Amino acid sequence: MAFPQSRPRRLRRTAALRALCRETILTPDDLVWPLFVEPGQGVRRPISAMPGQFRMSPDEAAKAAREAWDLGIQAVILFGIPPHKDAVGSAAYDRDGVVPQAIRRIRDAAPEMCVITDVCLCEYTDHGHCGLVDKGVVLNDATLELLAKEAVAHVKAGATMVAPSDMMDGRVAAIRDALDDEGYEDVAIMAYSAKYASAYYGPFREAAESTPAFGDRRAYQMDPPNALEALREVTLDEEEGADIIMVKPAGPYLDIVHMVRELTDLPVAAYQVSGEYSMIHAAGERGWVDLERVMMESLVGIKRAGADMILTYFAPEAARLLGRR
Ligand code: PBG
Ligand code: ZN
């Protein structure tokens, strides 16, 4: 039937009708809040390029996680900024490093929180690359062992799930083997499978002081124009034992989120990265857009594209709004 019999506007007349017909529902259950952890106590340092986000010591991170839990957020992902960086990222696999300390504190403050950890070397290396470097090249196979050690250190401290973001080939299998060897066959891996070499990571690198000292990450992260390659990455990670597949960034890559959703039966995560967050904030602060509405629209768009869960710095704000309704 066509107009005038068909009138889609009939179902948009009232808020109750719109609610009844809504196809995509965002809830705090969908959200994962990224936290930056640095050494010390009582530290809560604002990140200038990410308004409303902080670098926190383990005790403060635990407080923040508890507040998030009380808003309905059931998952956080941790990034560590170590006291010392070196060529091999030693602090990444220190069993008493900042991330293990934060995991233990969060476990106490919010015992049922899903604590995910980012597994990568770039926050811990003095050159800022995601793996070992030899003559300007990031070594793939030699890096795998260190990533596996890092994952084991996090899980020993109580992490619920590990999320490798390094983009080395074979890292999911290496981490899976290492975890299984230690008896952690029940600990899941969320793979950053389709992770693009994106300019949208700019504010994060300021927060984590992880800008590469030379070159860039294009020799290991994906080339933004590619989509089929993302499907190959997803298939490989599935074969290696990934439990959740991630696409990153989210907003500029919704086609990839959708394609990955069609390809895999595993849960799909999308990471709304620092640059996406900061740009929305900046426009909101200038009064050019309505911050709250653009925030919610960006998140529901990511879910509508096919994401089961969204990693986002907006998590507490969005949860607060969703709770109000
Ligand atoms: C580490 C890592 C990065 C992000 C998540 N894990 C930075 C990078 O790859 O340069 C980016 C997150 C964000 O921008 O919010 N490999
Ligand atoms: Zn990295």
Side-chain angles (χ1 to χ4, degrees), residues 36 50 79 118 120 122-123 130 165-166 192 195 200-205 210 217 221 248 271-275 313:
F36 297 96
M50 299 176 71
F79 295 90
D118 184 86
C120 199
C122 58
E123 299 120 80
C130 301
S165 68
D166 51 282
Y192 285 73
K195 175 172 176 179
Y200 285 85
Y201 306 152
F204 172 97
R205 291 184 190 167
S210 64
R217 303 205 205 290
Q221 297 180 348
K248 173 184 176 204
Y271 197 145
Q272 182 180 53
V273 301
S274 55
Y313 302 95

Side-chain angles (χ1 to χ4, degrees), residues 33-38 56 77-82 98-99 102 116-120 123-124 163 165 192 195 204 208 248 271 311 313:
W33 188 27
L35 296 176
F36 297 96
V37 187
E38 66 167 68
M56 290 171 280
I77 179 165
L78 305 182
F79 295 90
I81 301 120
V98 281
V99 167
I116 309 167
T117 62
D118 184 86
V119 172
C120 199
E123 299 120 80
Y124 304 93
S165 68
Y192 285 73
K195 175 172 176 179
F204 172 97
K248 173 184 176 204
Y271 197 145
L311 293 82
Y313 302 95

Side-chain angles (χ1 to χ4, degrees), residues 298-321:
S298 69
L299 293 172
V300 89
I302 295 165
K303 188 163 183 197
R304 191 188 61 240
D308 298 295
M309 64 198 88
I310 306 170
L311 293 82
T312 175
Y313 302 95
F314 285 125
E317 277 316 304
R320 223 171 262 128
L321 268 186

